[in-house]
Amino acid sequence: MAAVVSRTVLDRLVSLRESPMLRLLLLTDTVEVCGRGLLYCLLCAHLRAGTHILYLTTSLHPAELHQHIKDDDTAGKIEFYDGATDPCGWDSGEPAECVTKPLPEVMKSRCRTGGKVVVVVDRLEHLMLHQDSGQLVRGLHTLAHEGEVEQVVVYCGRDVVCEDMLEAVTHLASGVLHLHHTQPCSCVILVRKPSGKVIKAQEEFSLTPDFRVQGVRPTQKNTGQVGVPADTSASSDPTPESLLAATTFSLSLTDEQRRAKNELLLPHTRVQGEGGQILYTPDQEDDWDEDDPDDDLDI
Protein backbone atom coordinates (compact mmCIF):
# COMPACT_ATOMS: atom_id res chain seq x y z
CA MET A 1 0.00 0.00 0.00
CA ALA A 2 1.33 3.43 -0.90
CA ALA A 3 2.21 5.80 1.92
CA VAL A 4 1.68 9.51 1.24
CA VAL A 5 4.17 11.61 3.20
CA SER A 6 4.61 15.35 3.61
CA ARG A 7 8.41 15.36 4.14
CA THR A 8 10.64 16.91 1.50
CA VAL A 9 11.37 13.81 -0.52
CA LEU A 10 12.78 15.89 -3.38
CA ASP A 11 15.46 17.40 -1.16
CA ARG A 12 16.62 13.93 -0.11
CA LEU A 13 16.78 12.76 -3.74
CA VAL A 14 18.76 15.65 -5.19
CA SER A 15 21.12 15.86 -2.21
CA LEU A 16 21.82 12.10 -2.45
CA ARG A 17 20.54 11.47 1.08
CA GLU A 18 17.97 8.91 -0.03
CA SER A 19 19.07 5.50 1.24
CA PRO A 20 19.51 3.22 -0.53
CA MET A 21 20.40 5.08 -3.72
CA LEU A 22 17.70 4.80 -6.38
CA ARG A 23 19.18 2.52 -9.05
CA LEU A 24 17.00 3.90 -11.88
CA LEU A 25 15.55 7.40 -11.67
CA LEU A 26 13.07 8.64 -14.29
CA LEU A 27 12.76 12.41 -14.73
CA THR A 28 10.04 13.69 -17.05
CA ASP A 29 8.88 17.10 -18.17
CA THR A 30 6.55 18.57 -20.81
CA VAL A 31 6.65 21.28 -23.45
CA GLU A 32 5.33 23.67 -20.80
CA VAL A 33 8.02 23.03 -18.19
CA CYS A 34 11.69 22.08 -18.63
CA GLY A 35 13.34 19.64 -16.27
CA ARG A 36 16.97 20.35 -17.19
CA GLY A 37 17.53 22.52 -14.15
CA LEU A 38 16.55 19.69 -11.84
CA LEU A 39 18.66 17.26 -13.87
CA TYR A 40 21.72 19.52 -13.62
CA CYS A 41 21.09 19.92 -9.89
CA LEU A 42 21.19 16.15 -9.39
CA LEU A 43 24.32 15.70 -11.51
CA CYS A 44 26.19 18.52 -9.77
CA ALA A 45 25.48 16.79 -6.46
CA HIS A 46 26.99 13.58 -7.86
CA LEU A 47 30.09 15.45 -9.05
CA ARG A 48 30.57 17.07 -5.63
CA ALA A 49 30.28 13.59 -4.09
CA GLY A 50 33.13 12.37 -6.32
CA THR A 51 31.07 10.18 -8.64
CA HIS A 52 32.09 9.72 -12.28
CA ILE A 53 29.25 10.50 -14.74
CA LEU A 54 28.76 8.90 -18.15
CA TYR A 55 26.46 11.28 -20.02
CA LEU A 56 24.76 10.17 -23.25
CA THR A 57 23.31 13.27 -24.90
CA THR A 58 20.98 13.16 -27.89
CA SER A 59 19.71 16.74 -27.87
CA LEU A 60 22.41 19.24 -26.83
CA HIS A 61 26.10 19.41 -27.81
CA PRO A 62 28.48 18.35 -25.03
CA ALA A 63 30.13 21.78 -25.05
CA GLU A 64 26.80 23.43 -24.27
CA LEU A 65 26.12 20.95 -21.48
CA HIS A 66 29.57 21.49 -20.02
CA GLN A 67 28.74 25.18 -19.53
CA HIS A 68 26.07 24.19 -17.02
CA ILE A 69 27.59 21.03 -15.52
CA LYS A 70 31.11 22.01 -14.50
CA ASP A 71 33.52 19.43 -13.13
CA ASP A 72 36.68 21.62 -12.93
CA ASP A 73 36.57 22.00 -9.15
CA THR A 74 34.83 18.74 -8.23
CA ALA A 75 36.14 15.35 -7.25
CA GLY A 76 33.93 13.63 -9.78
CA LYS A 77 34.31 14.00 -13.54
CA ILE A 78 31.89 13.83 -16.43
CA GLU A 79 32.37 12.03 -19.73
CA PHE A 80 30.07 12.77 -22.68
CA TYR A 81 28.83 10.44 -25.40
CA ASP A 82 27.83 12.69 -28.29
CA GLY A 83 24.64 11.43 -29.91
CA ALA A 84 23.42 14.90 -30.84
CA THR A 85 25.94 16.27 -33.36
CA ASP A 86 25.66 13.64 -36.11
CA PRO A 87 23.50 10.75 -34.87
CA CYS A 88 22.54 9.48 -38.34
CA GLY A 89 26.04 9.78 -39.82
CA TRP A 90 25.15 12.25 -42.55
CA ASP A 91 28.52 13.99 -42.18
CA SER A 92 30.75 11.14 -41.05
CA GLY A 93 29.17 8.45 -43.21
CA GLU A 94 28.37 6.20 -40.23
CA PRO A 95 25.71 6.63 -37.53
CA ALA A 96 26.90 7.33 -34.01
CA GLU A 97 27.48 4.06 -32.18
CA CYS A 98 26.33 5.53 -28.88
CA VAL A 99 22.76 5.79 -30.17
CA THR A 100 22.60 2.60 -32.27
CA LYS A 101 24.31 0.09 -29.98
CA PRO A 102 22.64 -1.30 -26.86
CA LEU A 103 23.32 0.87 -23.83
CA PRO A 104 25.28 -1.77 -21.88
CA GLU A 105 27.69 -2.18 -24.81
CA VAL A 106 28.22 1.57 -25.03
CA MET A 107 28.94 1.96 -21.32
CA LYS A 108 30.61 -1.36 -20.48
CA SER A 109 34.19 -0.18 -21.15
CA ARG A 110 33.84 2.59 -18.57
CA CYS A 111 31.64 0.70 -16.12
CA ARG A 112 34.31 -1.96 -15.55
CA THR A 113 37.33 0.25 -14.89
CA GLY A 114 36.63 0.45 -11.17
CA GLY A 115 34.73 2.94 -9.06
CA LYS A 116 31.09 3.90 -9.02
CA VAL A 117 29.55 5.64 -12.02
CA VAL A 118 26.27 7.36 -12.83
CA VAL A 119 24.78 6.82 -16.30
CA VAL A 120 22.61 9.58 -17.80
CA VAL A 121 20.34 9.15 -20.82
CA ASP A 122 19.32 12.55 -22.23
CA ARG A 123 16.77 12.33 -23.94
CA LEU A 124 14.96 9.01 -24.23
CA GLU A 125 12.58 10.07 -27.03
CA HIS A 126 15.51 10.85 -29.35
CA LEU A 127 17.17 7.55 -28.57
CA MET A 128 13.94 5.76 -29.53
CA LEU A 129 14.44 6.99 -33.10
CA HIS A 130 17.53 4.76 -33.43
CA GLN A 131 16.74 1.73 -31.28
CA ASP A 132 13.90 -0.69 -30.74
CA SER A 133 11.84 -0.04 -27.62
CA GLY A 134 12.45 -3.56 -26.33
CA GLN A 135 16.19 -3.17 -26.75
CA LEU A 136 16.12 0.12 -24.87
CA VAL A 137 14.14 -1.29 -21.95
CA ARG A 138 16.44 -4.30 -21.69
CA GLY A 139 19.49 -2.05 -21.83
CA LEU A 140 18.20 0.19 -19.04
CA HIS A 141 17.35 -2.84 -16.90
CA THR A 142 20.82 -4.32 -17.42
CA LEU A 143 22.60 -1.05 -16.63
CA ALA A 144 20.57 -0.50 -13.46
CA HIS A 145 21.74 -3.89 -12.15
CA GLU A 146 25.44 -3.46 -12.99
CA GLY A 147 27.55 -3.56 -9.84
CA GLU A 148 29.62 -0.52 -10.82
CA VAL A 149 26.59 1.61 -11.74
CA GLU A 150 25.38 3.59 -8.76
CA GLN A 151 22.44 5.18 -10.56
CA VAL A 152 20.87 5.41 -14.02
CA VAL A 153 19.09 8.70 -14.73
CA VAL A 154 16.64 8.74 -17.65
CA TYR A 155 15.39 12.14 -18.83
CA CYS A 156 12.49 12.44 -21.28
CA GLY A 157 9.32 14.32 -22.15
CA ARG A 158 6.24 12.40 -21.06
CA ASP A 159 4.09 14.16 -23.65
CA VAL A 160 6.42 12.95 -26.43
CA VAL A 161 7.35 9.39 -25.42
CA CYS A 162 4.73 6.82 -26.38
CA GLU A 163 2.53 5.58 -23.55
CA ASP A 164 3.75 1.97 -23.68
CA MET A 165 7.41 2.98 -23.43
CA LEU A 166 6.73 5.42 -20.60
CA GLU A 167 4.86 2.76 -18.66
CA ALA A 168 7.67 0.25 -19.19
CA VAL A 169 10.39 2.61 -17.93
CA THR A 170 8.18 3.73 -15.04
CA HIS A 171 7.76 0.08 -14.08
CA LEU A 172 11.55 -0.41 -14.08
CA ALA A 173 12.31 2.79 -12.17
CA SER A 174 12.78 2.82 -8.43
CA GLY A 175 12.15 6.56 -8.44
CA VAL A 176 10.00 8.79 -10.68
CA LEU A 177 9.90 12.60 -10.85
CA HIS A 178 7.14 14.17 -12.96
CA LEU A 179 7.52 17.94 -13.29
CA HIS A 180 4.38 20.07 -13.60
CA HIS A 181 3.82 23.56 -14.93
CA THR A 182 2.80 25.37 -11.75
CA GLN A 183 3.85 28.53 -9.98
CA PRO A 184 6.15 27.82 -8.24
CA CYS A 185 7.30 24.72 -10.11
CA SER A 186 6.19 21.43 -8.58
CA CYS A 187 6.76 17.74 -9.13
CA VAL A 188 5.00 14.49 -8.33
CA ILE A 189 7.41 12.01 -6.75
CA LEU A 190 7.21 8.23 -6.51
CA VAL A 191 9.86 6.24 -4.62
CA ARG A 192 9.88 2.44 -4.42
CA LYS A 193 11.87 0.99 -1.53
CA PRO A 194 13.55 -2.45 -1.80
CA SER A 195 11.28 -3.57 1.06
CA GLY A 196 8.24 -2.96 -1.16
CA LYS A 197 7.17 0.28 0.53
CA VAL A 198 6.03 3.00 -1.87
CA ILE A 199 6.35 6.70 -1.02
CA LYS A 200 4.33 9.30 -2.88
CA ALA A 201 4.65 13.05 -2.55
CA GLN A 202 3.89 16.25 -4.43
CA GLU A 203 6.25 19.10 -3.65
CA GLU A 204 7.06 22.55 -4.97
CA PHE A 205 10.54 24.03 -5.17
CA SER A 206 12.81 26.64 -6.71
CA LEU A 207 16.34 26.47 -8.16
CA THR A 208 19.30 28.74 -7.50
CA PRO A 209 21.55 29.93 -10.37
CA ASP A 210 24.17 27.34 -9.37
CA PHE A 211 21.56 24.55 -9.62
CA ARG A 212 20.69 23.92 -6.01
CA VAL A 213 17.17 23.12 -4.88
CA GLN A 214 15.70 25.40 -2.26
CA GLY A 215 12.34 26.16 -0.72
CA VAL A 216 11.11 22.58 -0.99
CA ARG A 217 7.73 22.10 0.65
CA PRO A 218 4.56 20.09 0.08
CA THR A 219 2.45 21.52 -2.70
CA GLN A 220 -0.33 23.77 -1.49
CA LYS A 221 -3.84 22.57 -2.28
CA ASN A 222 -4.73 25.73 -4.18
CA THR A 223 -1.68 25.47 -6.44
CA GLY A 224 -2.83 24.99 -10.01
CA GLN A 225 -1.44 25.28 -13.49
CA VAL A 226 -0.65 28.75 -14.71
CA GLY A 227 -3.75 30.25 -16.23
CA VAL A 228 -5.95 27.40 -15.04
CA PRO A 229 -8.17 27.79 -11.93
CA ALA A 230 -7.17 25.51 -9.10
CA ASP A 231 -10.76 24.41 -8.42
CA THR A 232 -13.66 24.60 -10.84
CA SER A 233 -15.90 22.02 -9.16
CA ALA A 234 -17.75 24.65 -7.11
CA SER A 235 -19.42 26.20 -10.14
CA SER A 236 -23.20 25.90 -9.94
CA ASP A 237 -23.83 26.67 -13.60
CA PRO A 238 -24.90 23.36 -15.25
CA THR A 239 -24.06 24.74 -18.70
CA PRO A 240 -20.79 26.70 -18.46
CA GLU A 241 -19.99 29.19 -21.18
CA SER A 242 -17.07 27.08 -22.44
CA LEU A 243 -19.45 24.17 -23.08
CA LEU A 244 -22.07 26.36 -24.72
CA ALA A 245 -19.46 27.88 -27.02
CA ALA A 246 -18.33 24.43 -28.18
CA THR A 247 -21.78 23.32 -29.38
CA THR A 248 -23.83 24.25 -32.43
CA PHE A 249 -27.17 23.98 -30.61
CA SER A 250 -28.67 25.47 -27.48
CA LEU A 251 -28.17 23.60 -24.20
CA SER A 252 -29.85 26.17 -21.97
CA LEU A 253 -33.55 26.65 -21.14
CA THR A 254 -35.59 29.78 -21.43
CA ASP A 255 -37.72 30.93 -18.49
CA GLU A 256 -40.87 29.66 -20.18
CA GLN A 257 -39.31 26.26 -20.90
CA ARG A 258 -38.04 25.93 -17.33
CA ARG A 259 -41.51 26.83 -15.93
CA ALA A 260 -43.21 24.27 -18.18
CA LYS A 261 -40.69 21.63 -17.11
CA ASN A 262 -41.35 22.25 -13.43
CA GLU A 263 -45.15 22.09 -13.90
CA LEU A 264 -45.07 18.81 -15.83
CA LEU A 265 -46.56 15.90 -13.83
CA LEU A 266 -44.69 12.72 -14.63
CA PRO A 267 -46.49 9.35 -14.74
CA HIS A 268 -44.64 7.84 -11.81
CA THR A 269 -45.50 10.90 -9.71
CA ARG A 270 -49.22 10.46 -10.45
CA VAL A 271 -49.14 6.76 -9.49
CA GLN A 272 -47.41 7.55 -6.20
CA GLY A 273 -50.18 10.00 -5.33
CA GLU A 274 -53.01 7.53 -6.04
CA GLY A 275 -51.42 4.47 -4.45
CA GLY A 276 -50.25 1.31 -6.18
CA GLN A 277 -52.65 -1.30 -7.64
CA ILE A 278 -52.15 -4.78 -9.08
CA LEU A 279 -54.64 -5.90 -11.72
CA TYR A 280 -54.64 -9.56 -12.72
CA THR A 281 -57.04 -11.44 -14.98
CA PRO A 282 -56.79 -15.26 -14.57
CA ASP A 283 -56.53 -17.48 -17.62
CA GLN A 284 -58.95 -20.34 -18.31
CA GLU A 285 -56.21 -22.90 -17.71
CA ASP A 286 -55.41 -21.58 -14.24
CA ASP A 287 -56.15 -24.10 -11.48
CA TRP A 288 -57.52 -22.47 -8.34
CA ASP A 289 -57.96 -25.72 -6.40
CA GLU A 290 -55.71 -25.18 -3.40
CA ASP A 291 -56.27 -28.72 -1.99
CA ASP A 292 -54.01 -30.41 -4.51
CA PRO A 293 -51.94 -27.93 -6.50
CA ASP A 294 -50.32 -30.80 -8.48
CA ASP A 295 -53.45 -32.61 -9.62
CA ASP A 296 -53.07 -31.19 -13.10
CA LEU A 297 -49.76 -32.97 -13.49
CA ASP A 298 -49.70 -36.35 -15.21
CA ILE A 299 -47.54 -38.19 -12.67
Side-chain angles (χ1 to χ4, degrees):
M1 180 179 296
V4 180
V5 298
S6 59
R7 296 191 300 272
T8 55
V9 182
L10 178 63
D11 185 63
R12 296 204 309 269
L13 293 180
V14 298
S15 60
L16 309 182
R17 294 202 302 265
E18 182 67 27
S19 180
M21 179 75 68
L22 302 181
R23 299 304 299 268
L24 198 157
L25 178 62
L26 174 63
L27 172 62
T28 72
D29 59 9
T30 65
V31 294
E32 296 179 330
V33 57
C34 181
R36 288 198 172 274
L38 197 57
L39 175 65
Y40 298 160
C41 176
L42 177 63
L43 299 184
C44 288
H46 276 295
L47 290 175
R48 289 191 293 267
T51 308
H52 192 79
I53 298 177
L54 306 180
Y55 197 117
L56 171 58
T57 173
T58 61
S59 58
L60 298 180
H61 192 275
E64 183 176 353
L65 291 171
H66 215 279
Q67 295 177 0
H68 303 288
I69 313 173
K70 302 181 183 297
D71 59 353
D72 300 332
D73 301 326
T74 58
K77 298 301 177 182
I78 186 168
E79 179 179 345
F80 290 101
Y81 293 81
D82 187 6
T85 304
D86 188 22
C88 298
W90 292 342
D91 296 330
S92 62
E94 294 183 0
E97 292 186 352
C98 61
V99 297
T100 56
K101 284 188 175 182
L103 291 174
E105 294 185 15
V106 176
M107 307 294 180
K108 66 181 180 180
S109 60
R110 294 295 305 170
C111 290
R112 298 176 181 176
T113 57
K116 294 292 185 178
V117 299
V118 170
V119 178
V120 181
V121 178
D122 173 16
R123 308 184 44 123
L124 183 64
E125 57 265 33
H126 296 162
L127 201 58
M128 291 176 60
L129 301 175
H130 307 278
Q131 294 189 34
D132 178 73
S133 298
Q135 177 177 302
L136 273 175
V137 172
R138 289 191 297 270
L140 291 173
H141 181 267
T142 301
L143 278 178
H145 289 80
E146 287 283 350
E148 295 81 5
V149 177
E150 188 173 46
Q151 188 175 64
V152 177
V153 182
V154 180
Y155 176 43
C156 68
R158 64 179 179 274
D159 53 355
V160 180
V161 177
C162 63
E163 184 177 352
D164 293 341
M165 186 63 177
L166 188 61
E167 290 180 356
V169 180
T170 301
H171 179 74
L172 288 179
S174 50
V176 180
L177 293 175
H178 291 318
L179 265 69
H180 288 271
H181 185 217
T182 56
Q183 188 63 35
C185 188
S186 64
C187 62
V188 175
I189 308 170
L190 174 69
V191 176
R192 298 186 181 97
K193 296 286 190 177
S195 61
K197 181 180 179 181
V198 178
I199 298 176
K200 292 182 179 180
Q202 185 169 356
E203 299 172 349
E204 57 188 35
F205 64 96
S206 59
L207 287 175
T208 62
D210 59 343
F211 300 112
R212 294 178 185 267
V213 169
Q214 65 178 9
V216 183
R217 62 178 182 177
T219 302
Q220 303 299 317
K221 292 184 178 180
N222 60 350
T223 300
Q225 292 186 350
V226 176
V228 179
D231 185 10
T232 58
S233 59
S235 176
S236 59
D237 186 5
T239 55
E241 295 183 359
S242 59
L243 182 59
L244 293 176
T247 60
T248 58
F249 51 88
S250 177
L251 295 177
S252 60
L253 298 176
T254 63
D255 294 339
E256 182 178 355
Q257 290 172 335
R258 187 174 291 104
R259 185 167 50 253
K261 174 185 175 182
N262 295 333
E263 294 176 355
L264 178 64
L265 185 61
L266 300 177
H268 68 273
T269 306
R270 184 171 57 252
V271 171
Q272 291 177 356
E274 298 176 355
Q277 297 181 5
I278 299 177
L279 302 178
Y280 176 71
T281 303
D283 295 333
Q284 295 180 354
E285 292 79 7
D286 288 345
D287 185 2
W288 291 95
D289 185 3
E290 298 181 357
D291 294 338
D292 186 5
D294 296 332
D295 62 355
D296 59 334
L297 301 178
D298 186 12
I299 300 177

